[in-house]
Amino acid sequence: MRQCPLVARVALVVPCYNEAERLDATAFRHFRLPDDEIEFLFVNDGSTDTTSEVLATTGARIVNLEKNSGKAEAVRRGILAALDRSPGFVGFWDADLATPLSELPGFMEIMGSRPEIDIVFGARVRLLGREISRRPSRHYVGRVGATLISSSLGLAVYDTQCGAKLFRVSDTVREVFSTPFLSRWIFDVEIIARFVQLWGRDRVARALYEYPVTQWHDVKGSKVKSRDFIRALSDLWKIHRAYNSRR
Ligand SMILES: Nc1nc2c(ncn2[C@@H]2O[C@H](COP(=O)(O)OP(=O)(O)O)[C@@H](O)[C@H]2O)c(=O)[nH]1
Ligand SMILES: [Mg+2]
């Protein structure tokens, strides 16, 4: 049951790099939360296609980055812009809606009923009765990566790479997003590493909730290539060194 009766304001950042073909502007324009207010903030990350025209039809706030800076920086800049208007919750969501927006009320349900939870990460767990369809190659590579990530962080996190995440706004969130990330590929891991640095591992383990989404599907046109797995491994090592040595 929801503990806080007030209507919350939620700002969701959507990073977009050449998304003209994939972006479903209508889905974003019509989406409403049942109990809360939602504001989308699109970050056009130096797209070279007609993304800016498509984004204009959403009627939402747009942050334009002059040159392509990568998802990590696009999300970070979007979150900082969103925080300017003091929402209660900020998050980010992949433009291809691989996680449909219909999952967001479930994230808010957790935030509303569990005040000790400050971070909700979507998790792609393939269970019967759910619609989680992921290419087998991406699934297995992803599971190897997830296992390495979890042992590097020292946290039993199952899936750091689902593109659907929500945070309860606090000074810690402002600090986590205040400076550029080292990693272009797995900044989601770095987000956790920053929370661990500020709060300690035990508190993060109590404040982070992995929400098993009921629907998730691979959307064609992914910009992630196989060689990015190697880059992700090297980023994981970079994050491990940078944040573990400072702890
Ligand atoms: N800003 C920015 N976003 C990107 C870039 N590459 C991918 N994205 C965004 O990150 C999200 C996920 O990208 P996608 O290619 O679907 O990756 P995948 O789902 O992990 O295979 C989408 O919202 C993309 O627009 C990039 O270079 N810059
Ligand atoms: Mg995708």
Side-chain angles (χ1 to χ4, degrees):
M1 217 188 48
R2 193 175 179 127
Q3 306 219 329
C4 137
L6 294 175
V7 172
R9 285 199 301 119
V10 183
L12 213 55
V13 170
V14 183
C16 299
Y17 176 55
N18 290 347
E19 290 289 358
E21 293 288 318
R22 296 199 302 177
L23 195 105
D24 183 351
T26 314
F28 285 103
R29 200 169 51 239
H30 293 307
F31 181 75
R32 300 283 179 277
L33 279 169
D35 302 313
D36 300 298
E37 279 174 29
I38 174 97
E39 179 203 37
F40 290 105
L41 194 159
F42 293 92
V43 182
N44 183 1
D45 182 23
S47 298
T48 51
D49 66 356
T50 55
T51 294
S52 66
E53 280 89 328
V54 176
L55 290 182
T57 69
T58 63
R61 234 178 125 189
I62 299 165
V63 169
N64 281 301
L65 302 187
E66 285 296 307
K67 63 172 183 43
N68 180 236
S69 312
K71 180 178 175 184
E73 183 60 8
V75 164
R76 193 183 78 81
R77 298 277 292 277
I79 297 269
L80 291 181
L83 287 170
D84 277 350
R85 296 193 183 170
S86 311
F89 299 89
V90 287
F92 54 90
W93 212 268
D94 280 355
D96 58 7
L97 296 182
T99 310
L101 291 170
S102 53
E103 295 294 325
L104 184 60
F107 285 50
M108 285 304 293
E109 190 66 38
I110 301 297
M111 290 291 197
S113 59
R114 307 258 318 254
E116 77 282 14
I117 299 295
D118 289 301
I119 310 165
V120 181
F121 277 17
R124 299 159 294 178
V125 190
R126 224 173 138 193
L127 298 169
L128 292 179
R130 286 171 194 247
E131 293 172 44
I132 310 291
S133 63
R134 217 173 158 193
R135 285 200 307 277
S137 58
R138 287 287 296 263
H139 173 79
Y140 291 113
V141 171
R143 291 317 309 150
V144 171
T147 307
L148 295 172
I149 287 168
S150 154
S151 70
S152 164
L153 286 169
L155 275 173
V157 55
Y158 180 84
D159 183 9
T160 52
Q161 300 314 111
C162 176
K165 298 190 164 76
L166 192 66
F167 305 86
R168 192 185 299 277
V169 172
S170 64
D171 288 343
T172 310
V173 171
R174 288 174 205 281
E175 196 165 341
V176 163
F177 288 95
S178 64
T179 51
F181 294 103
L182 299 173
S183 167
R184 187 174 169 123
W185 304 97
I186 49 167
F187 74 104
D188 320 63
V189 175
E190 204 172 340
I191 290 175
I192 302 181
R194 288 183 176 188
F195 272 104
V196 168
Q197 208 168 47
L198 294 163
W199 278 351
R201 195 175 278 115
D202 290 351
R203 177 158 173 204
V204 174
R206 288 193 302 271
L208 199 165
Y209 186 98
E210 290 195 279
Y211 178 80
V213 292
T214 57
Q215 285 185 58
W216 193 93
H217 58 283
D218 261 321
V219 179
K220 281 205 194 96
S222 163
K223 291 162 199 85
V224 177
K225 308 276 175 286
S226 343
R227 66 172 181 274
D228 296 335
F229 184 71
I230 308 296
R231 292 185 174 146
L233 284 181
S234 121
D235 277 8
L236 183 59
W237 177 239
K238 233 193 272 178
I239 295 170
H240 187 78
R241 261 193 341 212
Y243 293 86
N244 278 20
S245 61
R246 276 191 246 149
R247 211 171 291 149

